[in-house]
Amino acid sequence: MSQRKFLVIADDSPEFQAALRFACRRARSTGGHVALLKVIEPAVFEHWSGVREEIERQARQEAESVLQKLAEFVVEQTGLPPEFIIKHAENTRQALRQVIADDPDIKILVLAAAVGGRGPGPLVASIAKEGVKWGSRKLPVTVVPGDLTDEEIADLA
């Protein structure tokens, strides 16, 4: 039997940290591990392919650097290194569909709602409005409040 993966989207939103902390806590308490998805959207610069390729190379390097920094936290919290998933896609939702369809070990998608009265956040709102379409897979989505404290996460997870 494969190990349960908790998928978290590694972005720069204020609520990302709550989703990551919750996923780490759940992974540790259930014997699973964390997978971090970093989405690289296409470079807008289209005049010269060499320039576009350099921009994409730099974006990938930056994504790897961000994930490496996050890995330290995940290892500290779970005892296991996270899986890194870097996807080039038009948007996060498209990348999610592809990643989830390709990996049956992903068992739970962990998202956090936006903080500060900004609504649920674009991805949570999109999933609530359009539903979850992962092909033939049924995958639970856990949405945690983006402003949960470490103590509240410990109590819930």
Side-chain angles (χ1 to χ4, degrees), residues 69-84:
K69 289 175 187 166
L70 293 171
E72 295 173 20
F73 176 79
V74 173
V75 169
E76 177 184 303
Q77 296 297 308
T78 67
L80 297 171
E83 177 180 340
F84 295 160

mmCIF file with all atom_site columns, all heavy atoms in Angstrom, residues 69-84:
data_model
loop_
_atom_site.group_PDB
_atom_site.id
_atom_site.type_symbol
_atom_site.label_atom_id
_atom_site.label_alt_id
_atom_site.label_comp_id
_atom_site.label_asym_id
_atom_site.label_entity_id
_atom_site.label_seq_id
_atom_site.pdbx_PDB_ins_code
_atom_site.Cartn_x
_atom_site.Cartn_y
_atom_site.Cartn_z
_atom_site.occupancy
_atom_site.B_iso_or_equiv
_atom_site.pdbx_formal_charge
_atom_site.auth_seq_id
_atom_site.auth_comp_id
_atom_site.auth_asym_id
_atom_site.auth_atom_id
_atom_site.pdbx_PDB_model_num
ATOM 1   N N   . LYS A 1 69 ? 13.813 25.618 0.503  1.00 0.00 ? 69 LYS A N   1
ATOM 2   C CA  . LYS A 1 69 ? 13.635 26.317 1.784  1.00 0.00 ? 69 LYS A CA  1
ATOM 3   C C   . LYS A 1 69 ? 12.438 25.743 2.545  1.00 0.00 ? 69 LYS A C   1
ATOM 4   O O   . LYS A 1 69 ? 12.496 25.569 3.762  1.00 0.00 ? 69 LYS A O   1
ATOM 5   C CB  . LYS A 1 69 ? 13.461 27.813 1.558  1.00 0.00 ? 69 LYS A CB  1
ATOM 6   C CG  . LYS A 1 69 ? 14.736 28.494 1.112  1.00 0.00 ? 69 LYS A CG  1
ATOM 7   C CD  . LYS A 1 69 ? 14.508 29.946 0.790  1.00 0.00 ? 69 LYS A CD  1
ATOM 8   C CE  . LYS A 1 69 ? 15.783 30.536 0.187  1.00 0.00 ? 69 LYS A CE  1
ATOM 9   N NZ  . LYS A 1 69 ? 15.557 31.829 -0.438 1.00 0.00 ? 69 LYS A NZ  1
ATOM 10  N N   . LEU A 1 70 ? 11.372 25.457 1.832  1.00 0.00 ? 70 LEU A N   1
ATOM 11  C CA  . LEU A 1 70 ? 10.187 24.886 2.470  1.00 0.00 ? 70 LEU A CA  1
ATOM 12  C C   . LEU A 1 70 ? 10.454 23.472 2.983  1.00 0.00 ? 70 LEU A C   1
ATOM 13  O O   . LEU A 1 70 ? 9.874  23.042 3.979  1.00 0.00 ? 70 LEU A O   1
ATOM 14  C CB  . LEU A 1 70 ? 9.014  24.872 1.488  1.00 0.00 ? 70 LEU A CB  1
ATOM 15  C CG  . LEU A 1 70 ? 8.468  26.237 1.082  1.00 0.00 ? 70 LEU A CG  1
ATOM 16  C CD1 . LEU A 1 70 ? 7.459  26.080 -0.049 1.00 0.00 ? 70 LEU A CD1 1
ATOM 17  C CD2 . LEU A 1 70 ? 7.856  26.952 2.275  1.00 0.00 ? 70 LEU A CD2 1
ATOM 18  N N   . ALA A 1 71 ? 11.334 22.759 2.312  1.00 0.00 ? 71 ALA A N   1
ATOM 19  C CA  . ALA A 1 71 ? 11.643 21.380 2.698  1.00 0.00 ? 71 ALA A CA  1
ATOM 20  C C   . ALA A 1 71 ? 12.190 21.310 4.120  1.00 0.00 ? 71 ALA A C   1
ATOM 21  O O   . ALA A 1 71 ? 11.883 20.366 4.859  1.00 0.00 ? 71 ALA A O   1
ATOM 22  C CB  . ALA A 1 71 ? 12.635 20.766 1.713  1.00 0.00 ? 71 ALA A CB  1
ATOM 23  N N   . GLU A 1 72 ? 12.975 22.292 4.516  1.00 0.00 ? 72 GLU A N   1
ATOM 24  C CA  . GLU A 1 72 ? 13.523 22.307 5.867  1.00 0.00 ? 72 GLU A CA  1
ATOM 25  C C   . GLU A 1 72 ? 12.398 22.311 6.898  1.00 0.00 ? 72 GLU A C   1
ATOM 26  O O   . GLU A 1 72 ? 12.432 21.570 7.877  1.00 0.00 ? 72 GLU A O   1
ATOM 27  C CB  . GLU A 1 72 ? 14.427 23.521 6.066  1.00 0.00 ? 72 GLU A CB  1
ATOM 28  C CG  . GLU A 1 72 ? 15.674 23.504 5.214  1.00 0.00 ? 72 GLU A CG  1
ATOM 29  C CD  . GLU A 1 72 ? 16.466 24.798 5.300  1.00 0.00 ? 72 GLU A CD  1
ATOM 30  O OE1 . GLU A 1 72 ? 16.284 25.554 6.287  1.00 0.00 ? 72 GLU A OE1 1
ATOM 31  O OE2 . GLU A 1 72 ? 17.257 25.054 4.378  1.00 0.00 ? 72 GLU A OE2 1
ATOM 32  N N   . PHE A 1 73 ? 11.399 23.133 6.668  1.00 0.00 ? 73 PHE A N   1
ATOM 33  C CA  . PHE A 1 73 ? 10.259 23.205 7.579  1.00 0.00 ? 73 PHE A CA  1
ATOM 34  C C   . PHE A 1 73 ? 9.501  21.880 7.592  1.00 0.00 ? 73 PHE A C   1
ATOM 35  O O   . PHE A 1 73 ? 9.144  21.367 8.654  1.00 0.00 ? 73 PHE A O   1
ATOM 36  C CB  . PHE A 1 73 ? 9.320  24.354 7.181  1.00 0.00 ? 73 PHE A CB  1
ATOM 37  C CG  . PHE A 1 73 ? 8.080  24.420 8.005  1.00 0.00 ? 73 PHE A CG  1
ATOM 38  C CD1 . PHE A 1 73 ? 8.092  24.983 9.270  1.00 0.00 ? 73 PHE A CD1 1
ATOM 39  C CD2 . PHE A 1 73 ? 6.884  23.902 7.534  1.00 0.00 ? 73 PHE A CD2 1
ATOM 40  C CE1 . PHE A 1 73 ? 6.943  25.039 10.052 1.00 0.00 ? 73 PHE A CE1 1
ATOM 41  C CE2 . PHE A 1 73 ? 5.735  23.945 8.306  1.00 0.00 ? 73 PHE A CE2 1
ATOM 42  C CZ  . PHE A 1 73 ? 5.763  24.521 9.566  1.00 0.00 ? 73 PHE A CZ  1
ATOM 43  N N   . VAL A 1 74 ? 9.258  21.310 6.410  1.00 0.00 ? 74 VAL A N   1
ATOM 44  C CA  . VAL A 1 74 ? 8.496  20.065 6.319  1.00 0.00 ? 74 VAL A CA  1
ATOM 45  C C   . VAL A 1 74 ? 9.227  18.935 7.041  1.00 0.00 ? 74 VAL A C   1
ATOM 46  O O   . VAL A 1 74 ? 8.614  18.176 7.797  1.00 0.00 ? 74 VAL A O   1
ATOM 47  C CB  . VAL A 1 74 ? 8.200  19.692 4.853  1.00 0.00 ? 74 VAL A CB  1
ATOM 48  C CG1 . VAL A 1 74 ? 7.551  18.319 4.755  1.00 0.00 ? 74 VAL A CG1 1
ATOM 49  C CG2 . VAL A 1 74 ? 7.310  20.748 4.203  1.00 0.00 ? 74 VAL A CG2 1
ATOM 50  N N   . VAL A 1 75 ? 10.526 18.831 6.850  1.00 0.00 ? 75 VAL A N   1
ATOM 51  C CA  . VAL A 1 75 ? 11.300 17.783 7.527  1.00 0.00 ? 75 VAL A CA  1
ATOM 52  C C   . VAL A 1 75 ? 11.237 17.981 9.042  1.00 0.00 ? 75 VAL A C   1
ATOM 53  O O   . VAL A 1 75 ? 11.069 17.016 9.802  1.00 0.00 ? 75 VAL A O   1
ATOM 54  C CB  . VAL A 1 75 ? 12.768 17.761 7.029  1.00 0.00 ? 75 VAL A CB  1
ATOM 55  C CG1 . VAL A 1 75 ? 13.628 16.862 7.904  1.00 0.00 ? 75 VAL A CG1 1
ATOM 56  C CG2 . VAL A 1 75 ? 12.821 17.307 5.581  1.00 0.00 ? 75 VAL A CG2 1
ATOM 57  N N   . GLU A 1 76 ? 11.356 19.219 9.472  1.00 0.00 ? 76 GLU A N   1
ATOM 58  C CA  . GLU A 1 76 ? 11.282 19.526 10.906 1.00 0.00 ? 76 GLU A CA  1
ATOM 59  C C   . GLU A 1 76 ? 9.937  19.108 11.486 1.00 0.00 ? 76 GLU A C   1
ATOM 60  O O   . GLU A 1 76 ? 9.851  18.583 12.594 1.00 0.00 ? 76 GLU A O   1
ATOM 61  C CB  . GLU A 1 76 ? 11.494 21.027 11.103 1.00 0.00 ? 76 GLU A CB  1
ATOM 62  C CG  . GLU A 1 76 ? 11.381 21.500 12.526 1.00 0.00 ? 76 GLU A CG  1
ATOM 63  C CD  . GLU A 1 76 ? 11.504 23.009 12.599 1.00 0.00 ? 76 GLU A CD  1
ATOM 64  O OE1 . GLU A 1 76 ? 12.516 23.553 12.132 1.00 0.00 ? 76 GLU A OE1 1
ATOM 65  O OE2 . GLU A 1 76 ? 10.560 23.650 13.120 1.00 0.00 ? 76 GLU A OE2 1
ATOM 66  N N   . GLN A 1 77 ? 8.872  19.317 10.737 1.00 0.00 ? 77 GLN A N   1
ATOM 67  C CA  . GLN A 1 77 ? 7.520  19.032 11.221 1.00 0.00 ? 77 GLN A CA  1
ATOM 68  C C   . GLN A 1 77 ? 7.111  17.568 11.079 1.00 0.00 ? 77 GLN A C   1
ATOM 69  O O   . GLN A 1 77 ? 6.332  17.073 11.895 1.00 0.00 ? 77 GLN A O   1
ATOM 70  C CB  . GLN A 1 77 ? 6.507  19.908 10.477 1.00 0.00 ? 77 GLN A CB  1
ATOM 71  C CG  . GLN A 1 77 ? 6.674  21.383 10.724 1.00 0.00 ? 77 GLN A CG  1
ATOM 72  C CD  . GLN A 1 77 ? 6.442  21.746 12.181 1.00 0.00 ? 77 GLN A CD  1
ATOM 73  O OE1 . GLN A 1 77 ? 5.424  21.393 12.764 1.00 0.00 ? 77 GLN A OE1 1
ATOM 74  N NE2 . GLN A 1 77 ? 7.396  22.438 12.769 1.00 0.00 ? 77 GLN A NE2 1
ATOM 75  N N   . THR A 1 78 ? 7.576  16.914 10.023 1.00 0.00 ? 78 THR A N   1
ATOM 76  C CA  . THR A 1 78 ? 7.097  15.549 9.750  1.00 0.00 ? 78 THR A CA  1
ATOM 77  C C   . THR A 1 78 ? 8.160  14.470 9.905  1.00 0.00 ? 78 THR A C   1
ATOM 78  O O   . THR A 1 78 ? 7.831  13.300 10.010 1.00 0.00 ? 78 THR A O   1
ATOM 79  C CB  . THR A 1 78 ? 6.547  15.448 8.308  1.00 0.00 ? 78 THR A CB  1
ATOM 80  O OG1 . THR A 1 78 ? 7.626  15.601 7.384  1.00 0.00 ? 78 THR A OG1 1
ATOM 81  C CG2 . THR A 1 78 ? 5.463  16.474 8.053  1.00 0.00 ? 78 THR A CG2 1
ATOM 82  N N   . GLY A 1 79 ? 9.406  14.870 9.829  1.00 0.00 ? 79 GLY A N   1
ATOM 83  C CA  . GLY A 1 79 ? 10.486 13.886 9.863  1.00 0.00 ? 79 GLY A CA  1
ATOM 84  C C   . GLY A 1 79 ? 10.810 13.311 8.494  1.00 0.00 ? 79 GLY A C   1
ATOM 85  O O   . GLY A 1 79 ? 11.726 12.507 8.360  1.00 0.00 ? 79 GLY A O   1
ATOM 86  N N   . LEU A 1 80 ? 10.064 13.720 7.482  1.00 0.00 ? 80 LEU A N   1
ATOM 87  C CA  . LEU A 1 80 ? 10.273 13.210 6.125  1.00 0.00 ? 80 LEU A CA  1
ATOM 88  C C   . LEU A 1 80 ? 10.425 14.366 5.144  1.00 0.00 ? 80 LEU A C   1
ATOM 89  O O   . LEU A 1 80 ? 9.739  15.385 5.275  1.00 0.00 ? 80 LEU A O   1
ATOM 90  C CB  . LEU A 1 80 ? 9.074  12.363 5.677  1.00 0.00 ? 80 LEU A CB  1
ATOM 91  C CG  . LEU A 1 80 ? 8.787  11.102 6.470  1.00 0.00 ? 80 LEU A CG  1
ATOM 92  C CD1 . LEU A 1 80 ? 7.450  10.514 6.041  1.00 0.00 ? 80 LEU A CD1 1
ATOM 93  C CD2 . LEU A 1 80 ? 9.905  10.092 6.270  1.00 0.00 ? 80 LEU A CD2 1
ATOM 94  N N   . PRO A 1 81 ? 11.264 14.204 4.135  1.00 0.00 ? 81 PRO A N   1
ATOM 95  C CA  . PRO A 1 81 ? 11.356 15.266 3.122  1.00 0.00 ? 81 PRO A CA  1
ATOM 96  C C   . PRO A 1 81 ? 10.096 15.279 2.259  1.00 0.00 ? 81 PRO A C   1
ATOM 97  O O   . PRO A 1 81 ? 9.501  14.227 2.003  1.00 0.00 ? 81 PRO A O   1
ATOM 98  C CB  . PRO A 1 81 ? 12.579 14.865 2.293  1.00 0.00 ? 81 PRO A CB  1
ATOM 99  C CG  . PRO A 1 81 ? 12.722 13.395 2.498  1.00 0.00 ? 81 PRO A CG  1
ATOM 100 C CD  . PRO A 1 81 ? 12.178 13.098 3.869  1.00 0.00 ? 81 PRO A CD  1
ATOM 101 N N   . PRO A 1 82 ? 9.697  16.456 1.804  1.00 0.00 ? 82 PRO A N   1
ATOM 102 C CA  . PRO A 1 82 ? 8.516  16.527 0.942  1.00 0.00 ? 82 PRO A CA  1
ATOM 103 C C   . PRO A 1 82 ? 8.870  16.100 -0.479 1.00 0.00 ? 82 PRO A C   1
ATOM 104 O O   . PRO A 1 82 ? 10.028 16.090 -0.868 1.00 0.00 ? 82 PRO A O   1
ATOM 105 C CB  . PRO A 1 82 ? 8.145  18.008 0.976  1.00 0.00 ? 82 PRO A CB  1
ATOM 106 C CG  . PRO A 1 82 ? 9.468  18.692 1.162  1.00 0.00 ? 82 PRO A CG  1
ATOM 107 C CD  . PRO A 1 82 ? 10.268 17.782 2.055  1.00 0.00 ? 82 PRO A CD  1
ATOM 108 N N   . GLU A 1 83 ? 7.843  15.766 -1.204 1.00 0.00 ? 83 GLU A N   1
ATOM 109 C CA  . GLU A 1 83 ? 8.004  15.539 -2.637 1.00 0.00 ? 83 GLU A CA  1
ATOM 110 C C   . GLU A 1 83 ? 7.827  16.886 -3.326 1.00 0.00 ? 83 GLU A C   1
ATOM 111 O O   . GLU A 1 83 ? 6.914  17.636 -3.002 1.00 0.00 ? 83 GLU A O   1
ATOM 112 C CB  . GLU A 1 83 ? 6.941  14.564 -3.140 1.00 0.00 ? 83 GLU A CB  1
ATOM 113 C CG  . GLU A 1 83 ? 7.008  14.335 -4.624 1.00 0.00 ? 83 GLU A CG  1
ATOM 114 C CD  . GLU A 1 83 ? 5.961  13.360 -5.118 1.00 0.00 ? 83 GLU A CD  1
ATOM 115 O OE1 . GLU A 1 83 ? 5.435  12.579 -4.305 1.00 0.00 ? 83 GLU A OE1 1
ATOM 116 O OE2 . GLU A 1 83 ? 5.663  13.395 -6.323 1.00 0.00 ? 83 GLU A OE2 1
ATOM 117 N N   . PHE A 1 84 ? 8.715  17.185 -4.266 1.00 0.00 ? 84 PHE A N   1
ATOM 118 C CA  . PHE A 1 84 ? 8.616  18.426 -5.030 1.00 0.00 ? 84 PHE A CA  1
ATOM 119 C C   . PHE A 1 84 ? 7.951  18.135 -6.367 1.00 0.00 ? 84 PHE A C   1
ATOM 120 O O   . PHE A 1 84 ? 8.345  17.203 -7.068 1.00 0.00 ? 84 PHE A O   1
ATOM 121 C CB  . PHE A 1 84 ? 9.988  19.029 -5.325 1.00 0.00 ? 84 PHE A CB  1
ATOM 122 C CG  . PHE A 1 84 ? 10.749 19.488 -4.119 1.00 0.00 ? 84 PHE A CG  1
ATOM 123 C CD1 . PHE A 1 84 ? 12.113 19.654 -4.192 1.00 0.00 ? 84 PHE A CD1 1
ATOM 124 C CD2 . PHE A 1 84 ? 10.127 19.764 -2.919 1.00 0.00 ? 84 PHE A CD2 1
ATOM 125 C CE1 . PHE A 1 84 ? 12.847 20.089 -3.096 1.00 0.00 ? 84 PHE A CE1 1
ATOM 126 C CE2 . PHE A 1 84 ? 10.842 20.201 -1.816 1.00 0.00 ? 84 PHE A CE2 1
ATOM 127 C CZ  . PHE A 1 84 ? 12.207 20.362 -1.912 1.00 0.00 ? 84 PHE A CZ  1
#
